[in-house]
Amino acid sequence: MLYLTRAGIVLLLWIAFLVYWRLSAAGVKPAARRESAWSRTSYIIPIVLASILLSIPPIPGGGFLFSRFLPQRTDGYWPGVMLIAAGLGFSVWARQHLGRNWSGTVQVKQDHQLICTGPYRFVRHPIYTGILVAFLGNAIVVCQWCGILAVFIAFGSFWRKLTIEERFMRETFGSAYEEYRARSAALIPYLF
């Protein structure tokens, strides 16, 4: 019987997500418009930094960033794993609704369609919402302040990226996108 450690379960969830993400990228529509390399770098570097912060093992005596944010007797492992799974699942659901319109960077595809179904009924950027929930779950699993810092860095990274996407979508879809913006939140349903 296969036995997974606590860290192994978290790692398996992220690996499964990344494998799905890579495989589902096949067959997307060609780009009609792309963001610049500088624009991509402005949100990729912070998300890589956040990922590194989430994967650093505990460092005894490593200072405030490596101290626990939950009491010693509180085990956030299983609630954190549930948040990781829920967040990644939400992102996959969103990815499936985007279909061939998806891209890892900010692009407008040829024959791009405005998707407002599935999780896009609730938020305009559900992939980011799901990944942020998964990052929060991972922060709870590691239970170190550097994990909380990683969530804030990831939020900033996704906020930067979604502002670029929103501009592209407004320029592409005009009033249809403005109507969609008026009835949906950017990241957190019913809030913002």
Side-chain angles (χ1 to χ4, degrees), residues 17-170:
F17 173 74
L18 292 172
V19 166
Y20 167 78
W21 219 249
R22 181 69 182 138
L23 293 175
S24 66
V28 297
K29 294 176 184 176
R33 179 180 175 199
R34 300 174 192 266
E35 67 180 324
S36 69
W38 163 247
S39 178
R40 277 191 303 281
T41 303
S42 72
Y43 59 80
I44 289 175
I45 289 174
I47 204 70
V48 168
L49 175 62
S51 300
I52 290 168
L53 283 172
L54 280 176
S55 62
I56 296 174
I59 300 174
F64 175 75
L65 279 180
F66 299 99
S67 62
R68 288 179 59 88
F69 63 82
L70 290 175
Q72 192 64 37
R73 289 184 284 186
T74 303
D75 184 7
Y77 178 77
W78 286 111
V81 166
M82 298 300 284
L83 281 174
I84 294 169
L88 296 180
F90 192 72
S91 291
V92 166
W93 182 34
R95 170 63 185 89
Q96 290 174 341
H97 271 268
L98 273 182
R100 296 185 63 222
N101 293 296
W102 177 82
S103 66
T105 60
V106 180
Q107 298 179 4
V108 174
K109 299 294 190 171
Q110 292 178 10
D111 300 318
H112 202 109
Q113 298 168 308
L114 180 59
I115 307 298
C116 303
T117 59
Y120 291 88
R121 289 179 305 212
F122 310 111
V123 289
R124 295 187 303 278
H125 304 277
I127 291 173
Y128 306 154
T129 300
I131 293 173
L132 283 170
V133 168
F135 268 50
L136 178 61
N138 213 127
I140 291 169
V141 166
V142 299
C143 196
Q144 298 178 110
W145 285 106
C146 64
I148 298 298
L149 177 60
V151 173
F152 282 104
I153 291 170
F155 178 86
S157 173
F158 287 138
W159 194 262
R160 165 74 180 137
K161 188 176 180 185
L162 78 80
T163 58
I164 301 164
E165 286 181 0
E166 297 256 324
R167 181 171 43 90
F168 274 41
M169 294 296 102
R170 280 193 311 271

